[in-house]
Amino acid sequence: MDEQTRELPQKYHQAVVHWQQHNFPDYPALVESWDRFFPKDPPFCLCARIGQVASDVVEYGDRKGQPKATKPTDMDERAAKELFNTVKAQASTEFGSIQQHQGTLARAYDDQDRAWVLRVMAEELRHGYQMVHLITNEDWSAVSGEKADDTVEHILSSQTGSHYFAAFNLEFDSFLDNIMFAAFIDRVGKYQLTMQKVSAYRPYAESMPPMLREEAFHLAAGVMPLRRWVERAAKGDPLVTMAAMQKAANKWFSRGLEMFGFEKEPFSSAQVNLGLKDRTNADAQQQWIDECAQMLGDLSRRYVRARLPGNTPEEIDAIQQRLAAGETVEGIAPEEMLRLPDRRFFRRSFDGAYEMVGIGGETFADVDAYVAHLAGHLPEAYLASRDMRHYIDNLRKVVAGAMTVKQAVKNTPKLQRLGSTCPCSNSVRWVMDTGATSVGEESRLHP
Ligand SMILES: [Fe+2]
Ligand SMILES: [Fe+2]
């Protein structure tokens, strides 16, 4: 494994560490957990990892065959702009997911589940660090029109509610969200990173292999506890039910779909033409859907097996088929099987935004009937949230003709707090000039 590690210049490194102290206070606990839960793995390193690229030349799009860019100014302007926005959006997901996980981390079922999520969070911090490295290691100002300090400031000042993707603006309601999020949303991350292994910008392509190795662990941090939970549900544990897992899956599936953008052309293949990705959004989205369906099928199968021990694999196959066809088999109801909602269910951006489509693809004409349908298929703790309130307010306006779908998509609440963002003091920025001796410097030092 030929890989190099890099540390950020002091002021950016300190800014990330400072961010961690505020947003990820459990980070130091990882060191204690590491030897107990991950004795065979090398210790965690908060650094950028530079891996290998499969090709020195651009593999897709209009510049195919030309050497990969090593500086933003080597790229065509559109590709550079697109990539800069992608790196910022990627950074937002990395830091954003830590803020979400932190909210319910302490509710983990046991020490192992907690340690696994803790490791996921630390690795997301490293991915965020990697994105800051990409932004600060070369001069992007000609592309972005802003200074690196301001870009980093913006990234570190985002909160749950002001991130780029809706999936990162939802609070977790319980520890079930920590693992369902890893199973669904980190899986989107896996696809996005895989697509960009071919990136025409070499430093970005080199960042992908180490991140993808970590992403595989994140998926396991979601799927492994879910496997244990379906087995508990099968044994009749009243605290863990298939219905609760289905509702949590319904909450995250539509938000994950939206991270692929428009399925339509030319949007879907724009990044392929720029040499930044190896497949269209629509193709990647379909592969992600298929993989999610397979995961839920596998979990349902484990549930049936645990409910009906003694059946052969062929018999379990046959039972699963009958259940999928809507039949009740040996006391197992078809609703106990986990399945994906329709892809137009509960959408609020891109394809299907603000259409009232039910879990099974049925359409609704009446808002109240649709709200009642949502209430029956989403986690109870999520229903009374600010997020749901905003969505339903928008939906009512769209249906009444008081707002267009486009306006509704844009009208999402933002908790924007720019500038003086560090909660230590009103005057402190995350990125501080090292060696500065301005008035008030004393009060800027973090405890
Ligand atoms: Fe990540
Ligand atoms: Fe991840």
Side-chain angles (χ1 to χ4, degrees):
M1 210 184 303
D2 216 350
E3 199 178 281
Q4 293 175 25
T5 59
R6 306 249 169 90
E7 198 165 283
L8 286 169
Q10 190 65 0
K11 69 169 173 177
Y12 297 123
H13 185 90
Q14 281 312 323
V16 175
V17 169
H18 189 164
W19 183 95
Q20 169 268 310
Q21 288 168 342
H22 282 291
N23 292 278
F24 184 13
D26 282 315
Y27 176 63
L30 182 71
V31 179
E32 298 149 35
S33 308
W34 198 271
D35 286 344
R36 191 172 146 208
F37 294 102
F38 317 111
K40 290 188 188 138
D41 297 334
F44 177 75
C45 165
L46 184 59
C47 53
R49 291 185 182 279
I50 316 298
Q52 299 283 310
V53 284
S55 166
D56 293 326
V57 296
V58 178
E59 294 154 85
Y60 288 83
D62 305 334
R63 288 200 175 187
K64 191 172 169 180
Q66 293 180 26
K68 285 193 174 177
T70 54
K71 288 185 167 43
T73 44
D74 293 345
M75 303 174 84
D76 96 27
E77 206 188 319
R78 265 186 63 216
K81 280 209 158 89
E82 191 70 33
L83 181 67
F84 182 73
N85 287 333
T86 300
V87 174
K88 278 203 300 186
Q90 186 68 36
S92 160
T93 69
E94 310 294 1
F95 290 109
S97 65
I98 298 168
Q99 292 166 328
Q100 290 168 294
H101 279 296
Q102 180 68 47
T104 44
L105 175 68
R107 299 180 212 169
Y109 182 69
D110 59 23
D111 288 353
Q112 185 187 328
D113 283 358
R114 182 173 179 278
W116 280 44
V117 169
L118 205 48
R119 175 170 171 177
V120 170
M121 294 165 76
E123 289 175 347
E124 303 303 13
L125 187 66
R126 198 198 74 66
H127 296 176
Y129 192 98
Q130 185 103 19
M131 295 304 115
V132 173
H133 180 261
L134 281 158
I135 286 165
T136 57
N137 203 38
E138 293 293 340
D139 183 5
W140 289 86
S141 58
V143 175
S144 66
E146 62 186 26
K147 289 198 220 95
D149 281 16
D150 293 331
T151 309
V152 175
E153 191 71 26
H154 188 112
I155 291 168
L156 296 180
S157 63
S158 289
Q159 310 279 327
T160 309
S162 64
H163 283 290
Y164 190 80
F165 292 110
F168 297 82
N169 286 330
L170 300 182
E171 305 281 355
F172 288 1
D173 303 315
S174 75
F175 193 73
L176 183 50
D177 276 341
N178 296 70
I179 59 175
M180 209 50 99
F181 182 91
F184 277 93
I185 306 299
D186 284 83
R187 195 179 301 277
V188 177
K190 181 185 94 167
Y191 273 96
Q192 292 295 351
L193 300 180
T194 303
M195 288 158 98
Q196 298 180 95
K197 268 163 62 176
V198 301
S199 182
Y201 185 57
R202 190 181 175 109
Y204 199 52
E206 287 169 338
S207 299
M208 296 302 116
M211 287 171 74
L212 275 162
R213 274 198 303 280
E214 287 155 332
E215 219 52 62
F217 175 78
H218 304 180
L219 296 190
V223 173
M224 302 297 273
L226 284 172
R227 287 182 183 171
R228 290 196 298 272
W229 290 22
V230 292
E231 278 161 17
R232 281 173 59 196
K235 290 186 181 108
D237 186 337
L239 306 178
V240 178
T241 64
M242 296 301 271
M245 283 182 263
Q246 180 66 62
K247 286 177 176 180
N250 296 346
K251 173 179 173 183
W252 294 108
F253 179 63
S254 38
R255 299 292 78 75
L257 280 170
E258 289 165 358
M259 291 174 69
F260 292 94
F262 278 117
E263 296 159 33
K264 301 178 194 104
E265 295 299 345
F267 184 94
S268 185
S269 46
Q271 294 202 325
V272 181
N273 297 334
L274 294 172
L276 299 173
K277 287 184 174 174
D278 69 353
R279 68 198 93 165
T280 65
N281 289 326
D283 285 347
Q285 188 190 49
Q286 189 56 54
Q287 288 158 1
W288 177 77
I289 293 170
D290 293 345
E291 215 176 85
C292 291
Q294 203 184 345
M295 168 180 70
L296 295 189
D298 171 69
L299 289 168
S300 300
R301 185 182 177 79
R302 283 169 189 274
Y303 176 79
V304 174
R305 242 173 33 201
R307 280 283 298 267
L308 306 172
N311 282 273
T312 64
E314 294 72 32
E315 285 164 343
I316 299 284
D317 282 344
I319 293 167
Q320 251 195 315
Q321 277 176 19
R322 286 167 62 197
L323 285 161
E327 212 183 306
T328 297
V329 186
E330 301 199 40
I332 304 176
E335 302 77 57
E336 291 170 69
M337 298 294 93
L338 299 176
R339 66 195 78 201
L340 291 178
D342 187 274
R343 65 161 82 181
R344 297 288 179 268
F345 169 73
F346 191 38
R347 291 290 299 268
R348 48 174 90 173
S349 59
F350 304 112
D351 302 88
Y354 291 95
E355 288 172 16
M356 295 192 284
V357 177
I359 206 100
E362 65 276 40
T363 52
F364 290 76
D366 176 63
V367 179
D368 290 320
Y370 190 56
V371 171
H373 178 80
L374 291 177
H377 293 282
L378 290 169
E380 194 160 341
Y382 175 48
L383 298 178
S385 66
R386 186 187 181 89
D387 182 76
M388 281 300 280
R389 198 193 81 205
H390 264 277
Y391 164 74
I392 290 164
D393 282 354
N394 278 349
L395 181 64
R396 286 193 195 283
K397 287 181 188 149
V398 169
V399 173
M403 194 184 250
T404 64
V405 169
K406 233 180 180 168
Q407 287 168 333
V409 170
K410 281 197 176 145
N411 182 35
T412 40
K414 292 263 188 264
L415 290 167
Q416 206 73 305
R417 290 189 222 158
L418 284 178
S420 53
T421 53
C422 166
C424 297
S425 151
N426 286 337
S427 65
V428 171
R429 284 165 58 98
W430 294 104
V431 180
M432 289 186 270
D433 280 330
T434 39
T437 51
S438 61
V439 182
E441 182 66 19
E442 290 287 289
S443 66
R444 289 170 156 215
L445 296 174
H446 192 269

